[in-house]
Amino acid sequence: MQSARITRRSLLGSVAAISLARPSFAAEAGDPIRKLVIVSAAQASDPQEFQAAQLLAQSWRQLGLEIEVRGLPRPQLSALVWNTREKWDMTMWRMVGRPERSDPDELTYNLFNPSTADKGYNFVNYINKDYMAEAEAQRAELDKDKRQQIVYKTQELIAKDQPYIFLVYPKNVFAFDKTIWDQASFIDQPGIGVRSFWTFLRVKPLTAQKDMICNASEALIAINPLYISGAIDSWLTELIWDRLMRIDANGLPAPWAAEKITYVDPTTIDATIRAGQKWHDGKPLTVEDVVFSFQAPAFGNKSPMYKPFVASIKEVKAIDDRTVRFTLTAPSAAFEASTLAKINLIPKHVWEPILKNLENKPENAETVQEPLPIGSGPFKVARFKLQEEVVLEANTDYWEKPKIDRWILRIVTNTGATLGMLGRGEINFLSDYRGDPAILADFAKQNTKINVVSTTDMGFRFLAPNQRRPPFDDAAFRRALSMATNRQLMAQAAWNGYAEPANSIISPALKFWAKPGISDTKPDLNGAKKALADAGYVMVGKKLHYPKGVKETTQGE
């Protein structure tokens, strides 16, 4: 697919700034900008996201743009955006709160890494060498205060270039039946909330009902330890597959499947694994499995999402029957959180033949779905249908046996239907609510057994502009879109006040790392119009055109 080339760069110097507020002549303008399409989750499954897309479209039409919003089922949306990266203009997207994102490295280093542009995290194709220099510097800086200042710089560069149009940091809203579950045993993890690994592991039943029945508002894409496929899928990944370290309830990495982490020197780290661990098929978990787990993501390009998290490892090897030694290419401030607490331990006897079979094929490990996924975590898969339900059973061989018998996830794509199910006991933990929080609060008042809690997410909602396709390859154009975005209105209207305006990859939930004041942006429609005019864009009638001489060669969808 061809696109309008950046011949505009050489042209802009000769184009006088033209006010969008006064008439212009077609001769001064390039081609009219084609209709631009925002793809979003469907309204029924994510009304907040869909409404936010409509609000963006309303604002940006005032800039002379023709904007269409298309709602799609989440699996279809994900396949379009993730697998066909040349074929969409803009998408509503989200970075979800995951425990290992308590450290800023994953957000600063991986999201905009050029090496992940084709198949990994950098799906918007943002390429900036200056930014990456700072992103690499922060992970190498061991002094926490100095590292904070570098992370501040990365946020400043992102705010300037707007590779994402940030929208809000949502407040995750949850509800549960307090006659079934001990309220005090729900663990509110910073930036995550009570829908956490620690809650699922340690929640205490109050009755003979020992099945925790959760909900998801979208179908699962996969249950795969080498695929970071979505928010819902990640809940399962955390429970089925174990990790050498986990982010604890205070947001800090702590030994887990490894009972001890020892720094031999700044680039040599030994992990001593717990004795007696087993895979869900009964086979012992060995140091060879651990070594394989960290080698597998680096194997060719078969695990593009996880590959960046092992990039700092020069060598990994077993030095005795319980110790694995990691040798790093350089000291890393983020190694514990972004690698040891990120990489899933996978059984070599299962995944080695799978990866070998993929060697000369175009498919990668993300396309693999085991008939019955095998991990070593606190829960094991009993049965699953990705579009309907997943049933996990407590792993009785785990060193900390869960206090519940089963963890059940029911897929209910209609947001309103989940409340009825909660009232009838068909679910007892509303783990994924995307409707109006005020309606949920009223529901809880009428159903006194229901308790509602919320927490600000460490993740964020945003619009992703595809920088492979003009006009989104122009930072000036993206800045204008951002200036015209009313985040305060969005937080109130789309998220009903259960959100905070966003303009950074670092949420205020991560207080130490979030640059103060960076999200204190106010909408400025006139400023956006002037910014476009200053960049050479021209208004002809009520239609925005490219700068003089720029042709529209990108095909619309």
Side-chain angles (χ1 to χ4, degrees):
M1 182 177 293
Q2 293 183 329
S3 59
R5 301 300 175 195
I6 311 179
T7 54
R8 74 184 74 172
R9 307 296 183 194
S10 59
L11 293 166
L12 295 187
S14 61
V15 177
I18 302 169
S19 171
L20 291 177
R22 61 181 175 80
S24 302
F25 297 102
E28 297 176 309
D31 282 353
I33 295 175
R34 69 185 185 284
K35 178 175 72 174
L36 303 176
V37 178
I38 301 173
V39 289
S40 164
Q43 184 173 15
S45 64
D46 198 333
Q48 296 168 327
E49 179 174 296
F50 189 81
Q51 185 176 359
Q54 297 286 0
L55 290 171
L56 289 173
Q58 290 173 18
S59 294
W60 295 346
R61 286 172 186 140
Q62 297 179 69
L63 300 177
L65 296 168
E66 182 182 359
I67 307 287
E68 177 187 346
V69 176
R70 293 181 188 169
L72 300 173
R74 182 68 68 178
Q76 184 179 342
L77 175 65
S78 182
L80 169 67
V81 172
W82 211 255
N83 300 329
T84 57
R85 300 194 173 193
E86 300 285 344
K87 294 186 178 181
W88 50 273
D89 288 327
M90 301 175 280
T91 182
M92 302 297 288
W93 211 252
R94 54 183 167 151
M95 283 296 290
V96 300
R98 291 191 173 115
E100 59 273 17
R101 291 174 179 166
S102 295
D103 184 278
D105 182 67
E106 181 177 341
L107 300 170
T108 55
Y109 181 74
N110 292 298
L111 288 188
F112 306 117
N113 194 318
S115 70
T116 69
D118 289 341
K119 296 183 178 180
Y121 272 113
N122 189 5
F123 67 104
V124 297
N125 198 47
Y126 173 63
I127 311 297
N128 183 328
K129 291 181 180 179
D130 293 336
Y131 173 83
M132 278 309 298
E134 299 293 345
E136 290 170 352
Q138 65 79 27
R139 62 182 357 213
E141 179 54 68
L142 301 182
D143 183 289
K144 190 175 181 181
D145 291 331
K146 291 180 180 178
R147 187 181 178 214
Q148 178 197 56
Q149 296 305 308
I150 302 173
V151 172
Y152 281 2
K153 289 180 183 178
T154 66
Q155 294 173 75
E156 292 166 1
L157 287 169
I158 293 301
K160 177 184 176 183
D161 279 358
Q162 293 290 316
Y164 296 163
I165 310 299
F166 296 92
L167 304 177
V168 298
Y169 306 110
K171 292 183 180 179
N172 294 327
V173 182
F174 311 105
F176 57 87
D177 189 329
K178 59 188 178 185
T179 67
I180 295 176
W181 306 114
D182 177 5
Q183 297 181 68
S185 66
F186 277 76
I187 298 173
D188 189 353
Q189 189 167 359
I192 300 290
V194 297
R195 187 191 57 210
S196 68
F197 172 85
W198 305 110
T199 291
F200 296 146
L201 181 66
R202 294 172 177 168
V203 67
K204 296 177 182 177
L206 295 174
T207 69
Q209 163 62 285
K210 293 186 178 181
D211 288 350
M212 175 165 271
I213 309 173
C214 305
N215 77 294
S217 298
E218 61 193 50
L220 282 81
I221 299 171
I223 305 176
N224 179 327
L226 293 176
Y227 183 26
I228 306 172
S229 52
I232 312 301
D233 311 54
S234 70
W235 310 348
L236 290 150
T237 303
E238 288 185 2
L239 297 176
I240 298 166
W241 287 277
D242 227 345
R243 298 171 186 180
L244 290 181
M245 302 185 79
R246 286 193 185 267
I247 305 300
D248 66 18
N250 297 312
L252 300 173
W256 191 247
E259 65 181 17
K260 183 171 63 174
I261 302 295
T262 304
Y263 280 75
V264 179
D265 59 49
T267 59
T268 308
I269 299 99
D270 287 349
T272 304
I273 66 171
R274 292 178 184 268
Q277 297 179 79
K278 294 181 181 179
W279 298 107
H280 295 156
D281 60 6
K283 297 182 185 300
L285 187 155
T286 68
V287 286
E288 285 77 19
D289 289 311
V290 176
V291 170
F292 175 78
S293 298
F294 287 85
Q295 291 175 336
F299 178 76
N301 199 29
K302 297 304 180 182
S303 182
M305 292 187 187
Y306 277 101
K307 191 170 185 176
F309 301 112
V310 298
S312 63
I313 300 175
K314 180 179 181 180
E315 182 184 34
V316 54
K317 65 180 181 180
I319 59 174
D320 61 40
D321 60 0
R322 287 185 55 204
T323 307
V324 174
R325 173 162 291 177
F326 297 90
T327 303
L328 308 185
T329 56
S332 173
F335 182 67
E336 291 185 355
S338 295
T339 301
L340 298 183
K342 179 73 175 181
I343 298 299
N344 298 306
L345 300 183
I346 59 176
K348 185 177 181 179
H349 64 276
V350 172
W351 281 94
E352 186 175 49
I354 291 174
L355 291 176
K356 186 173 181 60
N357 184 54
L358 291 171
E359 274 189 30
N360 298 313
K361 296 179 179 178
E363 298 85 5
N364 62 40
E366 296 173 359
T367 64
V368 174
Q369 179 58 70
E370 298 172 78
L372 192 69
I374 300 296
S376 62
F379 292 89
K380 54 186 178 181
V381 180
R383 63 178 186 273
F384 71 95
K385 289 186 178 180
L386 296 177
Q387 306 291 321
E388 299 175 17
E389 184 180 68
V390 179
V391 178
L392 306 183
E393 295 176 344
N395 178 8
T396 56
D397 290 327
Y398 202 66
W399 69 85
E400 183 179 338
K401 183 182 175 182
K403 293 179 172 59
I404 62 176
D405 290 341
R406 298 193 302 174
W407 186 89
I408 299 170
L409 183 69
R410 290 182 173 156
I411 314 301
V412 188
T413 57
N414 187 301
T415 300
T418 58
L419 293 184
M421 295 178 69
L422 182 64
R424 294 189 299 271
E426 295 170 23
I427 59 176
N428 53 44
F429 182 16
L430 187 65
S431 52
D432 188 21
Y433 182 68
R434 304 184 189 181
D436 185 343
I439 293 175
L440 178 57
D442 289 341
F443 177 85
K445 288 178 183 178
Q446 299 168 18
N447 297 265
T448 56
K449 67 180 182 179
I450 302 301
N451 191 41
V452 178
V453 295
S454 67
T455 190
T456 299
D457 201 332
M458 70 170 67
F460 50 87
R461 294 293 189 109
F462 63 102
L463 177 130
N466 192 344
Q467 286 142 66
R468 300 170 184 82
R469 294 165 65 93
F472 307 109
D473 58 340
D474 183 2
F477 184 83
R478 300 194 303 269
R479 280 194 294 273
L481 295 185
S482 180
M483 291 174 68
T485 299
N486 192 331
R487 295 164 172 86
Q488 292 75 18
L489 173 63
M490 196 166 294
Q492 292 299 320
W495 275 271
N496 295 285
Y498 282 76
E500 298 180 30
N503 193 37
S504 172
I505 52 178
I506 308 296
S507 164
L510 304 179
K511 294 180 181 179
F512 183 80
W513 301 110
K515 181 174 173 60
I518 200 163
S519 291
D520 297 340
T521 57
K522 299 292 188 290
D524 185 358
L525 185 63
N526 289 332
K529 291 178 178 179
K530 182 178 184 303
L532 288 170
D534 289 346
Y537 293 87
V538 180
M539 186 76 85
V540 179
K542 294 184 178 181
K543 179 74 173 177
L544 188 67
H545 287 234
Y546 284 108
K548 181 180 179 181
V550 177
K551 300 296 183 182
E552 178 65 273
T553 57
T554 302
Q555 297 178 7
E557 291 300 314

